[in-house]
Amino acid sequence: MSIDVVDEVAAQDEHSMTRGAGQQARSLPGMVYIPGGTFWMGSDHHYPEERPAHQVTVTDFWMDSQPVTNADFARFVDATHYVTVAERPLNPEDFPGAKPELLVPGSLVFKKTRVRVDLRDLTQWWFYTAGACWKHPEGPDSTWEGREQHPVVHVCYEDALAYATWADKALPTEAEWEYAARGGMERKVYVWGDEFAPGGKLMANTWQGEFPWQNLNTDGFEGTSPVGSFPPNTYGLFDMAGNVWEWTSDWYQERHTSQGGKPCCIPVNPRGPASSERSLDPCLPQVKIPRRVLKGGSHLCAPNYCLRYRPAARSPQAVDSGTSHIGFRCVVRT
């Protein structure tokens, strides 16, 4: 996706901030009403990009109680004949030097390794797979049928925004997403509290074992799980940790912008950077594709590699790319 298209998408997203006026007066099916408030966003105790912990205020909004499912996305495609980015032909001019076999529609698919590998080399477990898309999550020989209630995957930012626009909704900001995930529990490690498995009970679809070769499947799921398979948070939101990463509308930046703890200066409904120019992945400075913030972690997150199934966790994702562990949910603002 070109920078011009990215800016156009961003403009559409900014316009969606005004949608939903007066919606708090009625029930929205499949959504949970989130009363606004002030909370501590971020963390000073985990990964650097989560710092500094700082106070933020968000106003009331509604949020989907669960990620958008394959069945939900199929209804959208049936109604609009939308074609996702992963299904579209690639322009060789956009990928100079790329191997011809990679210039075909497809997406990144995770494949478990057979043995321990160097965790610094993610090409050991991520593979660009021709024909992989939301309808064929592992490639052309796979199908979403039988996984109707699993979260849709292989959706890039443009795809998620197109669905949200069709549904007369919006994608959440990072602050909205984190506020909703915390469910009113201030500065807790997880969306359910400070203990990973209270009473020995697993609370989210994450990786058990040593990533990326040993998946013990203690939670019963090798990959994605049907939405609602684990307990909701205190707001009644399902899968706010694990299962799939979720898109937000904010451009990524390396650190949070802090108001320095001054009560007079607590930001209200903050956004990330105003433009895409600074939203690059610091780990991949040579790749000049803007990044949006992902939240929530996924079924591939493990303590030995990616302890990011926490509300404060955040990750940069190129706007033109989806994977087999990225989905989304929507909001309606009051």
Side-chain angles (χ1 to χ4, degrees):
M1 185 164 58
S2 69
I3 297 299
D4 290 341
V5 173
V6 169
D7 289 339
E8 179 182 349
V9 169
Q12 295 173 7
D13 179 63
E14 189 66 30
H15 174 70
S16 73
M17 290 286 288
T18 62
R19 292 172 181 254
Q23 296 294 343
Q24 73 274 22
R26 63 186 179 89
S27 175
L28 298 180
M31 304 193 82
V32 174
Y33 180 67
I34 310 297
T38 299
F39 76 110
W40 283 93
M41 183 176 180
S43 171
D44 295 324
H45 306 292
H46 297 92
Y47 295 106
E49 68 272 10
E50 301 169 21
R51 301 170 184 162
H54 60 293
Q55 286 188 296
V56 164
T57 297
V58 296
T59 53
D60 304 1
F61 61 98
W62 292 80
M63 176 174 268
D64 288 342
S65 64
Q66 59 194 28
V68 173
T69 65
N70 284 314
D72 296 329
F73 202 78
R75 285 190 287 270
F76 159 62
V77 170
D78 288 344
T80 63
H81 306 292
Y82 182 82
V83 177
T84 62
V85 171
E87 300 171 274
R88 302 174 195 171
L90 278 67
N91 183 355
E93 295 180 1
D94 293 336
F95 304 93
K99 296 179 180 179
E101 61 267 26
L102 296 179
L103 294 176
V104 294
S107 187
L108 285 171
V109 175
F110 170 81
K111 295 182 181 179
K112 185 171 63 174
T113 64
R114 295 182 178 180
V115 296
R116 289 187 179 92
V117 295
D118 185 349
L119 293 179
R120 294 169 296 180
D121 182 9
L122 53 78
T123 63
Q124 298 287 315
W125 56 86
W126 282 114
F127 298 89
Y128 187 81
T129 303
C133 62
W134 76 274
K135 292 184 290 189
H136 306 291
E138 288 80 49
D141 294 331
S142 63
T143 178
W144 66 277
E145 294 179 7
R147 288 184 270 187
E148 288 82 357
Q149 293 307 307
H150 286 235
V152 66
V153 292
H154 295 299
V155 283
C156 74
Y157 185 82
E158 183 178 341
D159 304 326
L161 184 61
Y163 176 96
T165 301
W166 169 77
D168 200 26
K169 298 179 180 181
L171 297 177
T173 66
E174 182 180 1
E176 287 172 333
W177 196 101
E178 185 168 333
Y179 176 76
R182 291 186 178 279
M185 294 194 295
E186 283 282 75
R187 310 185 86 164
K188 298 296 185 181
V189 175
Y190 306 105
V191 303
W192 52 83
D194 285 328
E195 185 180 355
F196 172 66
K201 182 178 182 179
L202 294 177
M203 302 294 287
N205 180 4
T206 63
W207 184 284
Q208 300 89 49
E210 186 178 337
F211 182 88
W213 70 279
Q214 179 194 52
N215 191 342
L216 300 177
N217 294 335
T218 310
D219 61 7
F221 299 102
E222 177 79 18
T224 59
S225 53
V227 297
S229 296
F230 296 86
N233 73 356
T234 54
Y235 281 161
L237 300 169
F238 293 91
D239 293 328
M240 296 300 281
N243 211 1
V244 293
W245 284 98
E246 298 184 12
W247 287 105
T248 74
S249 60
D250 282 7
W251 294 115
Y252 181 81
Q253 59 185 353
E254 287 187 64
R255 302 288 180 92
H256 287 301
T257 300
S258 173
Q259 83 287 359
K262 299 177 181 179
C264 66
C265 307
I266 295 175
V268 178
N269 295 328
R271 303 297 303 269
S275 71
S276 62
E277 295 178 0
R278 295 189 292 117
S279 63
L280 302 179
D281 186 347
C283 296
L284 297 168
Q286 73 279 12
V287 181
K288 305 301 182 182
I289 301 173
R291 312 278 165 152
R292 300 272 183 174
V293 177
L294 297 180
K295 297 288 283 184
S298 80
H299 63 278
L300 300 181
C301 286
N304 75 303
Y305 177 68
C306 174
L307 186 62
R308 287 185 167 89
Y309 36 80
R310 298 173 292 101
R314 54 204 301 272
S315 180
Q317 177 64 24
V319 294
D320 65 346
S321 301
T323 70
S324 57
H325 73 332
I326 296 177
F328 69 101
R329 75 178 75 210
C330 301
V331 298
V332 170
R333 300 182 176 96
T334 61

